[in-house]
PDB file of all heavy atoms in Angstrom:
ATOM      1  N   GLY V   1      13.706   0.361   7.470  1.00  0.00           N
ATOM      2  CA  GLY V   1      13.406  -0.879   8.182  1.00  0.00           C
ATOM      3  C   GLY V   1      12.276  -0.796   9.170  1.00  0.00           C
ATOM      4  O   GLY V   1      12.103  -1.717   9.959  1.00  0.00           O
ATOM      5  N   GLY V   2      11.493   0.289   9.151  1.00  0.00           N
ATOM      6  CA  GLY V   2      10.535   0.514  10.216  1.00  0.00           C
ATOM      7  C   GLY V   2       9.090   0.220   9.915  1.00  0.00           C
ATOM      8  O   GLY V   2       8.223   0.492  10.756  1.00  0.00           O
ATOM      9  N   VAL V   3       8.771  -0.343   8.753  1.00  0.00           N
ATOM     10  CA  VAL V   3       7.370  -0.622   8.436  1.00  0.00           C
ATOM     11  C   VAL V   3       6.907  -1.882   9.156  1.00  0.00           C
ATOM     12  O   VAL V   3       7.656  -2.856   9.282  1.00  0.00           O
ATOM     13  CB  VAL V   3       7.168  -0.785   6.915  1.00  0.00           C
ATOM     14  CG1 VAL V   3       5.703  -1.109   6.587  1.00  0.00           C
ATOM     15  CG2 VAL V   3       7.594   0.482   6.170  1.00  0.00           C
ATOM     16  N   SER V   4       5.670  -1.863   9.646  1.00  0.00           N
ATOM     17  CA  SER V   4       5.008  -3.078  10.129  1.00  0.00           C
ATOM     18  C   SER V   4       3.720  -3.240   9.337  1.00  0.00           C
ATOM     19  O   SER V   4       3.080  -2.257   8.957  1.00  0.00           O
ATOM     20  CB  SER V   4       4.718  -2.988  11.630  1.00  0.00           C
ATOM     21  OG  SER V   4       3.916  -1.854  11.935  1.00  0.00           O
ATOM     22  N   SER V   5       3.363  -4.491   9.070  1.00  0.00           N
ATOM     23  CA  SER V   5       2.195  -4.734   8.218  1.00  0.00           C
ATOM     24  C   SER V   5       1.686  -6.159   8.419  1.00  0.00           C
ATOM     25  O   SER V   5       2.251  -6.934   9.207  1.00  0.00           O
ATOM     26  CB  SER V   5       2.560  -4.494   6.745  1.00  0.00           C
ATOM     27  OG  SER V   5       1.413  -4.552   5.916  1.00  0.00           O
ATOM     28  N   THR V   6       0.638  -6.501   7.695  1.00  0.00           N
ATOM     29  CA  THR V   6       0.030  -7.821   7.750  1.00  0.00           C
ATOM     30  C   THR V   6       0.064  -8.463   6.362  1.00  0.00           C
ATOM     31  O   THR V   6       0.263  -7.776   5.357  1.00  0.00           O
ATOM     32  CB  THR V   6      -1.437  -7.714   8.193  1.00  0.00           C
ATOM     33  OG1 THR V   6      -2.180  -7.051   7.152  1.00  0.00           O
ATOM     34  CG2 THR V   6      -1.581  -6.930   9.485  1.00  0.00           C
ATOM     35  N   ALA V   7      -0.170  -9.751   6.319  1.00  0.00           N
ATOM     36  CA  ALA V   7      -0.242 -10.429   5.023  1.00  0.00           C
ATOM     37  C   ALA V   7      -1.390  -9.864   4.191  1.00  0.00           C
ATOM     38  O   ALA V   7      -1.258  -9.667   2.971  1.00  0.00           O
ATOM     39  CB  ALA V   7      -0.417 -11.929   5.232  1.00  0.00           C
ATOM     40  N   ALA V   8      -2.526  -9.574   4.836  1.00  0.00           N
ATOM     41  CA  ALA V   8      -3.678  -9.030   4.109  1.00  0.00           C
ATOM     42  C   ALA V   8      -3.363  -7.668   3.505  1.00  0.00           C
ATOM     43  O   ALA V   8      -3.733  -7.380   2.356  1.00  0.00           O
ATOM     44  CB  ALA V   8      -4.881  -8.939   5.044  1.00  0.00           C
ATOM     45  N   ASP V   9      -2.681  -6.816   4.264  1.00  0.00           N
ATOM     46  CA  ASP V   9      -2.305  -5.499   3.739  1.00  0.00           C
ATOM     47  C   ASP V   9      -1.259  -5.619   2.642  1.00  0.00           C
ATOM     48  O   ASP V   9      -1.310  -4.901   1.630  1.00  0.00           O
ATOM     49  CB  ASP V   9      -1.775  -4.613   4.863  1.00  0.00           C
ATOM     50  CG  ASP V   9      -2.880  -3.931   5.654  1.00  0.00           C
ATOM     51  OD1 ASP V   9      -4.072  -4.221   5.388  1.00  0.00           O
ATOM     52  OD2 ASP V   9      -2.556  -3.110   6.538  1.00  0.00           O
ATOM     53  N   MET V  10      -0.291  -6.502   2.822  1.00  0.00           N
ATOM     54  CA  MET V  10       0.762  -6.652   1.814  1.00  0.00           C
ATOM     55  C   MET V  10       0.198  -7.147   0.490  1.00  0.00           C
ATOM     56  O   MET V  10       0.726  -6.825  -0.582  1.00  0.00           O
ATOM     57  CB  MET V  10       1.846  -7.583   2.330  1.00  0.00           C
ATOM     58  CG  MET V  10       2.727  -6.989   3.422  1.00  0.00           C
ATOM     59  SD  MET V  10       3.536  -5.447   2.910  1.00  0.00           S
ATOM     60  CE  MET V  10       4.601  -6.049   1.591  1.00  0.00           C
ATOM     61  N   ALA V  11      -0.887  -7.932   0.537  1.00  0.00           N
ATOM     62  CA  ALA V  11      -1.524  -8.366  -0.705  1.00  0.00           C
ATOM     63  C   ALA V  11      -1.987  -7.160  -1.514  1.00  0.00           C
ATOM     64  O   ALA V  11      -1.875  -7.146  -2.748  1.00  0.00           O
ATOM     65  CB  ALA V  11      -2.698  -9.289  -0.393  1.00  0.00           C
ATOM     66  N   LYS V  12      -2.492  -6.129  -0.845  1.00  0.00           N
ATOM     67  CA  LYS V  12      -2.945  -4.917  -1.536  1.00  0.00           C
ATOM     68  C   LYS V  12      -1.762  -4.183  -2.161  1.00  0.00           C
ATOM     69  O   LYS V  12      -1.861  -3.674  -3.292  1.00  0.00           O
ATOM     70  CB  LYS V  12      -3.688  -4.010  -0.553  1.00  0.00           C
ATOM     71  CG  LYS V  12      -4.948  -4.644   0.012  1.00  0.00           C
ATOM     72  CD  LYS V  12      -5.559  -3.781   1.103  1.00  0.00           C
ATOM     73  CE  LYS V  12      -6.789  -4.466   1.706  1.00  0.00           C
ATOM     74  NZ  LYS V  12      -7.385  -3.667   2.802  1.00  0.00           N
ATOM     75  N   TRP V  13      -0.669  -4.122  -1.439  1.00  0.00           N
ATOM     76  CA  TRP V  13       0.523  -3.458  -1.987  1.00  0.00           C
ATOM     77  C   TRP V  13       1.052  -4.227  -3.205  1.00  0.00           C
ATOM     78  O   TRP V  13       1.429  -3.623  -4.209  1.00  0.00           O
ATOM     79  CB  TRP V  13       1.593  -3.343  -0.905  1.00  0.00           C
ATOM     80  CG  TRP V  13       2.812  -2.603  -1.353  1.00  0.00           C
ATOM     81  CD1 TRP V  13       2.981  -1.243  -1.407  1.00  0.00           C
ATOM     82  CD2 TRP V  13       4.030  -3.179  -1.834  1.00  0.00           C
ATOM     83  NE1 TRP V  13       4.230  -0.938  -1.886  1.00  0.00           N
ATOM     84  CE2 TRP V  13       4.902  -2.098  -2.152  1.00  0.00           C
ATOM     85  CE3 TRP V  13       4.475  -4.479  -2.021  1.00  0.00           C
ATOM     86  CZ2 TRP V  13       6.187  -2.317  -2.650  1.00  0.00           C
ATOM     87  CZ3 TRP V  13       5.751  -4.691  -2.511  1.00  0.00           C
ATOM     88  CH2 TRP V  13       6.593  -3.620  -2.825  1.00  0.00           C
ATOM     89  N   LEU V  14       1.075  -5.546  -3.139  1.00  0.00           N
ATOM     90  CA  LEU V  14       1.504  -6.355  -4.284  1.00  0.00           C
ATOM     91  C   LEU V  14       0.595  -6.121  -5.486  1.00  0.00           C
ATOM     92  O   LEU V  14       1.073  -5.997  -6.623  1.00  0.00           O
ATOM     93  CB  LEU V  14       1.497  -7.839  -3.914  1.00  0.00           C
ATOM     94  CG  LEU V  14       2.533  -8.333  -2.900  1.00  0.00           C
ATOM     95  CD1 LEU V  14       2.227  -9.776  -2.506  1.00  0.00           C
ATOM     96  CD2 LEU V  14       3.953  -8.220  -3.441  1.00  0.00           C
ATOM     97  N   GLN V  15      -0.708  -6.036  -5.253  1.00  0.00           N
ATOM     98  CA  GLN V  15      -1.639  -5.765  -6.347  1.00  0.00           C
ATOM     99  C   GLN V  15      -1.331  -4.422  -7.009  1.00  0.00           C
ATOM    100  O   GLN V  15      -1.349  -4.306  -8.239  1.00  0.00           O
ATOM    101  CB  GLN V  15      -3.077  -5.781  -5.818  1.00  0.00           C
ATOM    102  CG  GLN V  15      -3.589  -7.163  -5.456  1.00  0.00           C
ATOM    103  CD  GLN V  15      -4.941  -7.103  -4.780  1.00  0.00           C
ATOM    104  OE1 GLN V  15      -5.057  -6.631  -3.644  1.00  0.00           O
ATOM    105  NE2 GLN V  15      -5.973  -7.561  -5.472  1.00  0.00           N
ATOM    106  N   MET V  16      -1.077  -3.408  -6.195  1.00  0.00           N
ATOM    107  CA  MET V  16      -0.742  -2.094  -6.729  1.00  0.00           C
ATOM    108  C   MET V  16       0.539  -2.139  -7.552  1.00  0.00           C
ATOM    109  O   MET V  16       0.611  -1.575  -8.652  1.00  0.00           O
ATOM    110  CB  MET V  16      -0.610  -1.091  -5.572  1.00  0.00           C
ATOM    111  CG  MET V  16      -0.212   0.328  -5.986  1.00  0.00           C
ATOM    112  SD  MET V  16       1.582   0.573  -6.188  1.00  0.00           S
ATOM    113  CE  MET V  16       2.159   0.400  -4.513  1.00  0.00           C
ATOM    114  N   GLU V  17       1.558  -2.809  -7.034  1.00  0.00           N
ATOM    115  CA  GLU V  17       2.829  -2.911  -7.746  1.00  0.00           C
ATOM    116  C   GLU V  17       2.656  -3.606  -9.096  1.00  0.00           C
ATOM    117  O   GLU V  17       3.190  -3.157 -10.111  1.00  0.00           O
ATOM    118  CB  GLU V  17       3.845  -3.675  -6.888  1.00  0.00           C
ATOM    119  CG  GLU V  17       4.411  -2.894  -5.731  1.00  0.00           C
ATOM    120  CD  GLU V  17       5.549  -1.969  -6.137  1.00  0.00           C
ATOM    121  OE1 GLU V  17       6.227  -2.267  -7.135  1.00  0.00           O
ATOM    122  OE2 GLU V  17       5.747  -0.958  -5.450  1.00  0.00           O
ATOM    123  N   LEU V  18       1.919  -4.700  -9.111  1.00  0.00           N
ATOM    124  CA  LEU V  18       1.737  -5.461 -10.353  1.00  0.00           C
ATOM    125  C   LEU V  18       0.854  -4.725 -11.354  1.00  0.00           C
ATOM    126  O   LEU V  18       0.889  -5.015 -12.546  1.00  0.00           O
ATOM    127  CB  LEU V  18       1.154  -6.836 -10.033  1.00  0.00           C
ATOM    128  CG  LEU V  18       2.120  -7.800  -9.334  1.00  0.00           C
ATOM    129  CD1 LEU V  18       1.377  -8.991  -8.762  1.00  0.00           C
ATOM    130  CD2 LEU V  18       3.226  -8.255 -10.287  1.00  0.00           C
ATOM    131  N   ALA V  19       0.054  -3.763 -10.860  1.00  0.00           N
ATOM    132  CA  ALA V  19      -0.793  -2.952 -11.740  1.00  0.00           C
ATOM    133  C   ALA V  19      -0.143  -1.614 -12.060  1.00  0.00           C
ATOM    134  O   ALA V  19      -0.826  -0.673 -12.476  1.00  0.00           O
ATOM    135  CB  ALA V  19      -2.148  -2.739 -11.088  1.00  0.00           C
ATOM    136  N   ASP V  20       1.183  -1.529 -11.884  1.00  0.00           N
ATOM    137  CA  ASP V  20       1.931  -0.297 -12.192  1.00  0.00           C
ATOM    138  C   ASP V  20       1.352   0.928 -11.498  1.00  0.00           C
ATOM    139  O   ASP V  20       1.213   2.003 -12.095  1.00  0.00           O
ATOM    140  CB  ASP V  20       2.003  -0.070 -13.703  1.00  0.00           C
ATOM    141  CG  ASP V  20       2.795  -1.143 -14.417  1.00  0.00           C
ATOM    142  OD1 ASP V  20       3.764  -1.658 -13.832  1.00  0.00           O
ATOM    143  OD2 ASP V  20       2.447  -1.492 -15.558  1.00  0.00           O
ATOM    144  N   GLY V  21       1.038   0.754 -10.225  1.00  0.00           N
ATOM    145  CA  GLY V  21       0.612   1.892  -9.413  1.00  0.00           C
ATOM    146  C   GLY V  21      -0.878   2.048  -9.255  1.00  0.00           C
ATOM    147  O   GLY V  21      -1.329   2.911  -8.497  1.00  0.00           O
ATOM    148  N   LYS V  22      -1.676   1.242  -9.946  1.00  0.00           N
ATOM    149  CA  LYS V  22      -3.129   1.360  -9.840  1.00  0.00           C
ATOM    150  C   LYS V  22      -3.684   0.422  -8.769  1.00  0.00           C
ATOM    151  O   LYS V  22      -3.154  -0.659  -8.542  1.00  0.00           O
ATOM    152  CB  LYS V  22      -3.791   1.018 -11.179  1.00  0.00           C
ATOM    153  CG  LYS V  22      -3.691   2.109 -12.229  1.00  0.00           C
ATOM    154  CD  LYS V  22      -4.503   1.739 -13.456  1.00  0.00           C
ATOM    155  CE  LYS V  22      -4.438   2.853 -14.501  1.00  0.00           C
ATOM    156  NZ  LYS V  22      -5.234   2.509 -15.706  1.00  0.00           N
ATOM    157  N   PHE V  23      -4.795   0.865  -8.172  1.00  0.00           N
ATOM    158  CA  PHE V  23      -5.499   0.010  -7.217  1.00  0.00           C
ATOM    159  C   PHE V  23      -6.967   0.386  -7.243  1.00  0.00           C
ATOM    160  O   PHE V  23      -7.318   1.563  -7.111  1.00  0.00           O
ATOM    161  CB  PHE V  23      -4.932   0.185  -5.800  1.00  0.00           C
ATOM    162  CG  PHE V  23      -5.509  -0.770  -4.802  1.00  0.00           C
ATOM    163  CD1 PHE V  23      -5.093  -2.099  -4.770  1.00  0.00           C
ATOM    164  CD2 PHE V  23      -6.490  -0.361  -3.901  1.00  0.00           C
ATOM    165  CE1 PHE V  23      -5.621  -2.992  -3.848  1.00  0.00           C
ATOM    166  CE2 PHE V  23      -7.021  -1.242  -2.975  1.00  0.00           C
ATOM    167  CZ  PHE V  23      -6.588  -2.572  -2.952  1.00  0.00           C
ATOM    168  N   ASP V  24      -7.828  -0.597  -7.442  1.00  0.00           N
ATOM    169  CA  ASP V  24      -9.277  -0.370  -7.555  1.00  0.00           C
ATOM    170  C   ASP V  24      -9.588   0.701  -8.602  1.00  0.00           C
ATOM    171  O   ASP V  24     -10.450   1.568  -8.401  1.00  0.00           O
ATOM    172  CB  ASP V  24      -9.866   0.033  -6.203  1.00  0.00           C
ATOM    173  CG  ASP V  24     -10.097  -1.174  -5.292  1.00  0.00           C
ATOM    174  OD1 ASP V  24     -10.014  -2.317  -5.783  1.00  0.00           O
ATOM    175  OD2 ASP V  24     -10.352  -0.962  -4.091  1.00  0.00           O
ATOM    176  N   GLY V  25      -8.841   0.656  -9.700  1.00  0.00           N
ATOM    177  CA  GLY V  25      -9.104   1.562 -10.804  1.00  0.00           C
ATOM    178  C   GLY V  25      -8.531   2.953 -10.664  1.00  0.00           C
ATOM    179  O   GLY V  25      -8.667   3.785 -11.571  1.00  0.00           O
ATOM    180  N   LYS V  26      -7.865   3.227  -9.541  1.00  0.00           N
ATOM    181  CA  LYS V  26      -7.296   4.559  -9.304  1.00  0.00           C
ATOM    182  C   LYS V  26      -5.777   4.500  -9.342  1.00  0.00           C
ATOM    183  O   LYS V  26      -5.174   3.579  -8.803  1.00  0.00           O
ATOM    184  CB  LYS V  26      -7.765   5.099  -7.950  1.00  0.00           C
ATOM    185  CG  LYS V  26      -7.234   6.486  -7.628  1.00  0.00           C
ATOM    186  CD  LYS V  26      -7.706   6.945  -6.251  1.00  0.00           C
ATOM    187  CE  LYS V  26      -7.144   8.313  -5.904  1.00  0.00           C
ATOM    188  NZ  LYS V  26      -7.553   8.753  -4.551  1.00  0.00           N
ATOM    189  N   GLN V  27      -5.163   5.501  -9.975  1.00  0.00           N
ATOM    190  CA  GLN V  27      -3.705   5.571 -10.020  1.00  0.00           C
ATOM    191  C   GLN V  27      -3.200   6.133  -8.697  1.00  0.00           C
ATOM    192  O   GLN V  27      -3.188   7.339  -8.468  1.00  0.00           O
ATOM    193  CB  GLN V  27      -3.231   6.452 -11.178  1.00  0.00           C
ATOM    194  CG  GLN V  27      -1.756   6.286 -11.520  1.00  0.00           C
ATOM    195  CD  GLN V  27      -1.457   4.964 -12.226  1.00  0.00           C
ATOM    196  OE1 GLN V  27      -2.187   4.559 -13.112  1.00  0.00           O
ATOM    197  NE2 GLN V  27      -0.381   4.304 -11.845  1.00  0.00           N
ATOM    198  N   VAL V  28      -2.762   5.253  -7.808  1.00  0.00           N
ATOM    199  CA  VAL V  28      -2.300   5.668  -6.488  1.00  0.00           C
ATOM    200  C   VAL V  28      -0.847   6.135  -6.535  1.00  0.00           C
ATOM    201  O   VAL V  28      -0.470   7.116  -5.888  1.00  0.00           O
ATOM    202  CB  VAL V  28      -2.457   4.503  -5.485  1.00  0.00           C
ATOM    203  CG1 VAL V  28      -1.863   4.863  -4.120  1.00  0.00           C
ATOM    204  CG2 VAL V  28      -3.918   4.123  -5.346  1.00  0.00           C
ATOM    205  N   VAL V  29      -0.025   5.427  -7.310  1.00  0.00           N
ATOM    206  CA  VAL V  29       1.404   5.740  -7.428  1.00  0.00           C
ATOM    207  C   VAL V  29       1.719   5.972  -8.902  1.00  0.00           C
ATOM    208  O   VAL V  29       1.284   5.201  -9.771  1.00  0.00           O
ATOM    209  CB  VAL V  29       2.265   4.586  -6.874  1.00  0.00           C
ATOM    210  CG1 VAL V  29       3.758   4.880  -7.059  1.00  0.00           C
ATOM    211  CG2 VAL V  29       1.974   4.340  -5.401  1.00  0.00           C
ATOM    212  N   ASP V  30       2.462   7.039  -9.177  1.00  0.00           N
ATOM    213  CA  ASP V  30       2.810   7.370 -10.558  1.00  0.00           C
ATOM    214  C   ASP V  30       3.544   6.209 -11.229  1.00  0.00           C
ATOM    215  O   ASP V  30       4.555   5.713 -10.705  1.00  0.00           O
ATOM    216  CB  ASP V  30       3.690   8.617 -10.573  1.00  0.00           C
ATOM    217  CG  ASP V  30       4.048   9.057 -11.975  1.00  0.00           C
ATOM    218  OD1 ASP V  30       3.196   9.671 -12.637  1.00  0.00           O
ATOM    219  OD2 ASP V  30       5.179   8.753 -12.413  1.00  0.00           O
ATOM    220  N   ALA V  31       3.034   5.769 -12.383  1.00  0.00           N
ATOM    221  CA  ALA V  31       3.565   4.577 -13.047  1.00  0.00           C
ATOM    222  C   ALA V  31       5.011   4.761 -13.487  1.00  0.00           C
ATOM    223  O   ALA V  31       5.847   3.860 -13.305  1.00  0.00           O
ATOM    224  CB  ALA V  31       2.688   4.210 -14.242  1.00  0.00           C
ATOM    225  N   GLN V  32       5.343   5.912 -14.065  1.00  0.00           N
ATOM    226  CA  GLN V  32       6.694   6.114 -14.560  1.00  0.00           C
ATOM    227  C   GLN V  32       7.705   6.222 -13.416  1.00  0.00           C
ATOM    228  O   GLN V  32       8.805   5.658 -13.474  1.00  0.00           O
ATOM    229  CB  GLN V  32       6.776   7.364 -15.437  1.00  0.00           C
ATOM    230  CG  GLN V  32       8.132   7.581 -16.088  1.00  0.00           C
ATOM    231  CD  GLN V  32       8.585   6.385 -16.898  1.00  0.00           C
ATOM    232  OE1 GLN V  32       7.877   5.928 -17.793  1.00  0.00           O
ATOM    233  NE2 GLN V  32       9.760   5.847 -16.601  1.00  0.00           N
ATOM    234  N   ALA V  33       7.343   6.954 -12.370  1.00  0.00           N
ATOM    235  CA  ALA V  33       8.244   7.085 -11.215  1.00  0.00           C
ATOM    236  C   ALA V  33       8.450   5.730 -10.543  1.00  0.00           C
ATOM    237  O   ALA V  33       9.551   5.405 -10.088  1.00  0.00           O
ATOM    238  CB  ALA V  33       7.687   8.092 -10.224  1.00  0.00           C
ATOM    239  N   LEU V  34       7.384   4.926 -10.503  1.00  0.00           N
ATOM    240  CA  LEU V  34       7.499   3.589  -9.930  1.00  0.00           C
ATOM    241  C   LEU V  34       8.398   2.707 -10.788  1.00  0.00           C
ATOM    242  O   LEU V  34       9.270   2.000 -10.278  1.00  0.00           O
ATOM    243  CB  LEU V  34       6.117   2.957  -9.793  1.00  0.00           C
ATOM    244  CG  LEU V  34       6.034   1.602  -9.099  1.00  0.00           C
ATOM    245  CD1 LEU V  34       6.512   1.695  -7.657  1.00  0.00           C
ATOM    246  CD2 LEU V  34       4.614   1.053  -9.153  1.00  0.00           C
ATOM    247  N   GLN V  35       8.212   2.773 -12.098  1.00  0.00           N
ATOM    248  CA  GLN V  35       9.028   1.953 -12.989  1.00  0.00           C
ATOM    249  C   GLN V  35      10.499   2.355 -12.933  1.00  0.00           C
ATOM    250  O   GLN V  35      11.389   1.508 -13.036  1.00  0.00           O
ATOM    251  CB  GLN V  35       8.510   2.041 -14.428  1.00  0.00           C
ATOM    252  CG  GLN V  35       9.266   1.198 -15.432  1.00  0.00           C
ATOM    253  CD  GLN V  35       9.321  -0.287 -15.069  1.00  0.00           C
ATOM    254  OE1 GLN V  35       8.483  -0.787 -14.331  1.00  0.00           O
ATOM    255  NE2 GLN V  35      10.322  -0.980 -15.575  1.00  0.00           N
ATOM    256  N   THR V  36      10.762   3.642 -12.745  1.00  0.00           N
ATOM    257  CA  THR V  36      12.153   4.085 -12.606  1.00  0.00           C
ATOM    258  C   THR V  36      12.836   3.386 -11.438  1.00  0.00           C
ATOM    259  O   THR V  36      14.038   3.090 -11.491  1.00  0.00           O
ATOM    260  CB  THR V  36      12.210   5.615 -12.410  1.00  0.00           C
ATOM    261  OG1 THR V  36      11.663   6.260 -13.564  1.00  0.00           O
ATOM    262  CG2 THR V  36      13.636   6.105 -12.200  1.00  0.00           C
ATOM    263  N   SER V  37      12.075   3.079 -10.398  1.00  0.00           N
ATOM    264  CA  SER V  37      12.665   2.402  -9.234  1.00  0.00           C
ATOM    265  C   SER V  37      12.919   0.930  -9.510  1.00  0.00           C
ATOM    266  O   SER V  37      13.639   0.274  -8.763  1.00  0.00           O
ATOM    267  CB  SER V  37      11.742   2.549  -8.013  1.00  0.00           C
ATOM    268  OG  SER V  37      10.585   1.729  -8.132  1.00  0.00           O
ATOM    269  N   ARG V  38      12.342   0.398 -10.601  1.00  0.00           N
ATOM    270  CA  ARG V  38      12.404  -1.041 -10.851  1.00  0.00           C
ATOM    271  C   ARG V  38      13.283  -1.412 -12.039  1.00  0.00           C
ATOM    272  O   ARG V  38      13.151  -2.494 -12.600  1.00  0.00           O
ATOM    273  CB  ARG V  38      10.975  -1.585 -11.039  1.00  0.00           C
ATOM    274  CG  ARG V  38      10.097  -1.279  -9.838  1.00  0.00           C
ATOM    275  CD  ARG V  38       8.746  -1.958  -9.877  1.00  0.00           C
ATOM    276  NE  ARG V  38       7.954  -1.583 -11.033  1.00  0.00           N
ATOM    277  CZ  ARG V  38       6.646  -1.826 -11.144  1.00  0.00           C
ATOM    278  NH1 ARG V  38       5.999  -2.436 -10.153  1.00  0.00           N
ATOM    279  NH2 ARG V  38       5.985  -1.475 -12.228  1.00  0.00           N
ATOM    280  N   VAL V  39      14.166  -0.513 -12.408  1.00  0.00           N
ATOM    281  CA  VAL V  39      15.190  -0.847 -13.409  1.00  0.00           C
ATOM    282  C   VAL V  39      16.545  -0.804 -12.712  1.00  0.00           C
ATOM    283  O   VAL V  39      16.705  -0.128 -11.699  1.00  0.00           O
ATOM    284  CB  VAL V  39      15.172   0.130 -14.610  1.00  0.00           C
ATOM    285  CG1 VAL V  39      13.833   0.058 -15.324  1.00  0.00           C
ATOM    286  CG2 VAL V  39      15.469   1.557 -14.160  1.00  0.00           C
ATOM    287  N   PRO V  40      17.543  -1.526 -13.196  1.00  0.00           N
ATOM    288  CA  PRO V  40      18.842  -1.546 -12.510  1.00  0.00           C
ATOM    289  C   PRO V  40      19.508  -0.170 -12.484  1.00  0.00           C
ATOM    290  O   PRO V  40      19.595   0.511 -13.502  1.00  0.00           O
ATOM    291  CB  PRO V  40      19.661  -2.537 -13.352  1.00  0.00           C
ATOM    292  CG  PRO V  40      18.649  -3.378 -14.055  1.00  0.00           C
ATOM    293  CD  PRO V  40      17.493  -2.471 -14.336  1.00  0.00           C
ATOM    294  N   HIS V  41      19.948   0.220 -11.305  1.00  0.00           N
ATOM    295  CA  HIS V  41      20.719   1.448 -11.132  1.00  0.00           C
ATOM    296  C   HIS V  41      22.127   1.152 -10.630  1.00  0.00           C
ATOM    297  O   HIS V  41      22.990   2.026 -10.692  1.00  0.00           O
ATOM    298  CB  HIS V  41      20.020   2.384 -10.142  1.00  0.00           C
ATOM    299  CG  HIS V  41      18.790   3.033 -10.685  1.00  0.00           C
ATOM    300  ND1 HIS V  41      18.761   4.334 -11.130  1.00  0.00           N
ATOM    301  CD2 HIS V  41      17.538   2.543 -10.876  1.00  0.00           C
ATOM    302  CE1 HIS V  41      17.539   4.634 -11.560  1.00  0.00           C
ATOM    303  NE2 HIS V  41      16.779   3.554 -11.416  1.00  0.00           N
ATOM    304  N   MET V  42      22.353  -0.068 -10.126  1.00  0.00           N
ATOM    305  CA  MET V  42      23.651  -0.401  -9.564  1.00  0.00           C
ATOM    306  C   MET V  42      23.837  -1.917  -9.570  1.00  0.00           C
ATOM    307  O   MET V  42      22.873  -2.667  -9.391  1.00  0.00           O
ATOM    308  CB  MET V  42      23.763   0.126  -8.118  1.00  0.00           C
ATOM    309  CG  MET V  42      25.168   0.273  -7.603  1.00  0.00           C
ATOM    310  SD  MET V  42      26.098   1.510  -8.541  1.00  0.00           S
ATOM    311  CE  MET V  42      27.752   1.231  -7.911  1.00  0.00           C
ATOM    312  N   THR V  43      25.069  -2.347  -9.783  1.00  0.00           N
ATOM    313  CA  THR V  43      25.403  -3.763  -9.634  1.00  0.00           C
ATOM    314  C   THR V  43      25.658  -4.028  -8.157  1.00  0.00           C
ATOM    315  O   THR V  43      26.580  -3.469  -7.574  1.00  0.00           O
ATOM    316  CB  THR V  43      26.643  -4.133 -10.463  1.00  0.00           C
ATOM    317  OG1 THR V  43      26.379  -3.871 -11.840  1.00  0.00           O
ATOM    318  CG2 THR V  43      26.994  -5.609 -10.286  1.00  0.00           C
ATOM    319  N   SER V  44      24.818  -4.855  -7.560  1.00  0.00           N
ATOM    320  CA  SER V  44      24.932  -5.096  -6.125  1.00  0.00           C
ATOM    321  C   SER V  44      25.912  -6.216  -5.797  1.00  0.00           C
ATOM    322  O   SER V  44      26.564  -6.177  -4.747  1.00  0.00           O
ATOM    323  CB  SER V  44      23.555  -5.416  -5.540  1.00  0.00           C
ATOM    324  OG  SER V  44      22.962  -6.517  -6.211  1.00  0.00           O
ATOM    325  N   SER V  45      26.023  -7.217  -6.665  1.00  0.00           N
ATOM    326  CA  SER V  45      26.962  -8.314  -6.438  1.00  0.00           C
ATOM    327  C   SER V  45      27.499  -8.791  -7.784  1.00  0.00           C
ATOM    328  O   SER V  45      26.848  -9.586  -8.469  1.00  0.00           O
ATOM    329  CB  SER V  45      26.277  -9.474  -5.691  1.00  0.00           C
ATOM    330  OG  SER V  45      25.107  -9.884  -6.370  1.00  0.00           O
ATOM    331  N   PRO V  46      28.664  -8.293  -8.185  1.00  0.00           N
ATOM    332  CA  PRO V  46      29.238  -8.685  -9.480  1.00  0.00           C
ATOM    333  C   PRO V  46      29.461 -10.187  -9.548  1.00  0.00           C
ATOM    334  O   PRO V  46      29.871 -10.819  -8.569  1.00  0.00           O
ATOM    335  CB  PRO V  46      30.572  -7.926  -9.514  1.00  0.00           C
ATOM    336  CG  PRO V  46      30.418  -6.805  -8.534  1.00  0.00           C
ATOM    337  CD  PRO V  46      29.510  -7.331  -7.469  1.00  0.00           C
TER     338      PRO V  46
END
């Protein structure tokens, strides 16, 4: 819960997420490790 940021900075993070870890043509975050975080691992509210 400790991150602080701006709308302008968050736009960059959203771009990276939607590009599976890439930003400005560079792979910043590993695509497979990122995708592993974006599949269901637990039912939060049955």
